[in-house]
Amino acid sequence: MKLRFWGVRGSFAMCGREVLRYGGNTTSIELVAASGTRLLIDLGTGATELAKLLMQGEFGRGQGELPILLSHTHLDHIQGLPFFTPFFVKGNRIRIVGADPPGLSLQATLQNQLAPHYSPLNGLENLAAGVSIDTIVPGSTFTLGEFEVETALVPHGNMWTTAFRVTADGKVVTFLSDVEYPEPEAPLPEALHLARHADLLIHDAMHSDDDYQLRRGWGHSPARAAISVAEKAAVRRLALFHHSPDATDAMIDETVWRARAETKIELFAAAEGSYLEV
Amino acid sequence: MKITFWGVRGSYPVPGAATVRYGGQTSCVEIRTESGGCLIVDAGTGLRALGQKLSREGGVPRQFHVLLSHVHWDHIQGLPFFEPAYIPGNRIAVYALLTAADELDQVIGGITRHEFFPMPLERVPAQFQFIEVKPTVAMDIEDFHVLPIALNHPYGAVGYRVDADGTSVAYVADTAPFHEVLHKQHFLCGLEPLSHEDLAALAAMRAGLVAALRGVDTVVYDTHFLPEEYKRFPHYGHSTPDQALEICAEAGVRTLVLYHHAPSHSDDQMDEVAERYRQLGKAQGIEVVTSQEGMTLMVGAQEPR
């Protein structure tokens, strides 16, 4: 399985020279199985960059097929949806798979994102390709093409995020972003279970330790929470993810150096760029 | 008076090496008078950096005025990240067209509900006030005399002419041109035939815009598309620099600022656009400036540039 980070930034798409190396686009991750089948996680602004690549191939001809896992509906995870050009080509088969936000339906939430006040698209029904929205119950396990997906609900400030364990080609990627545990060093059992022996763990590491003291309760983790999960779940590699919009490339470098000094787990900071072999 | 561009991009923010010079953040400008009066126009992602700067200026509590052209995401997405909103005692007045059945506070409140953003509007420490604007009905806001202007955009949008310090600046975004599509309150998947009433409405809107821009010093205009792009997407609600030049020439404007750049336009492409339209403008006696994130322009002929 290959993986490409199209967006690694948290909360807010950040532009400028200070963030060029890690990248400023918000969450979007592409997984590609050995056979070439794809799976996308989240529709942040990074998805608009992937869209350009997809449109050069079968999606430009209306023959593309793509399942998209949605961790939750905070804006930085869906803001690329109205600009994901494969939606505009009839024939493409695109499924959005995610949980209902608390007290709401996923369908209604995405419909509201495209409400006429907010978007000239004026509703999901005007996406030429159409979109099927499949609501899942977190905790369930299902298959999307060649990808086996195990899910769990994890706390994210005043709402919840769905975390994913994706298996393909005998390799495992676990996505645990937009999560804050009651104590950073005491990750919840469901998170550890999802990350068990993963080949790659992608974990929320939005805050530096100092910053975290000011941001407790906002739903994000410091790097030490990511390390704690990685160690306890004995993962092979850890990608620090969902970088703060205020974190420059130099600051992220420093976070990585500090984190490496704290653990024996192989780790790096997720960066927009080329395909990685899992 | 001076105007600073905090976000010049249309549709959605585009980080990356290809946009690092012109900037990737979406619509937001700051207009200041010589005495320090401050008006914010549009609350796209550029608003985040402006908010950080305004916080550093201090002076709590403060009153802020945010004029919205309309409430498409790229013009309001910065609001939840506006630092002064998290300082108790600050007051933030938001001005916008009442575009649809919902009340304005519900529209703005809607983007801060839990499914979209962690803190709901009613829990934000600053006090928000929502004020409806009506095209042609002028408002006096602090030192500024503000005239809202009806524009041609899906679900409606307004531009603003702002007079202060004996000079004037106008913000004309987002708008389609006025000859082949009339935006109403429904989805367009292409051009629709225009009735006589539609044509009359377009002519009236165009005349209203030209009249409002008459003699304005500096006009910031939605020039999202290049002519060849416009031909493919005439129903998207945006204009070209040529269409902006036509309106500005008719209104006797001194400086036209190209604004709301398409997300696909790279810096190199924007350099070409800037040079081409600088020349075209010069031939018509109009100075054409292409906006870049972080740029400040002095407004008024007496000011050195």
Side-chain angles (χ1 to χ4, degrees), chain A residues 215 218, chain B residues 55 78-90 92 112 117-121 123-128:
Chain A
R215 309 279 175 179
W218 276 78
Chain B
S55 289
L79 267 180
F81 301 94
F82 186 52
E83 222 174 86
Y86 298 89
I87 299 170
N90 278 343
I92 301 167
T112 59
F117 193 73
M119 190 183 280
L121 186 60
R123 270 185 36 220
V124 169
Q127 197 188 329
F128 272 81

Side-chain angles (χ1 to χ4, degrees), chain A residues 73 75 79 112-113 118 158, chain B residues 73 77 107 113 115-116 118:
Chain A
T73 58
L75 268 182
Q79 71 191 133
N112 188 28
Q113 184 193 6
Y118 300 139
N158 66 349
Chain B
W73 281 116
Q77 224 174 97
V107 173
R113 288 196 319 228
E115 72 270 31
F116 291 140

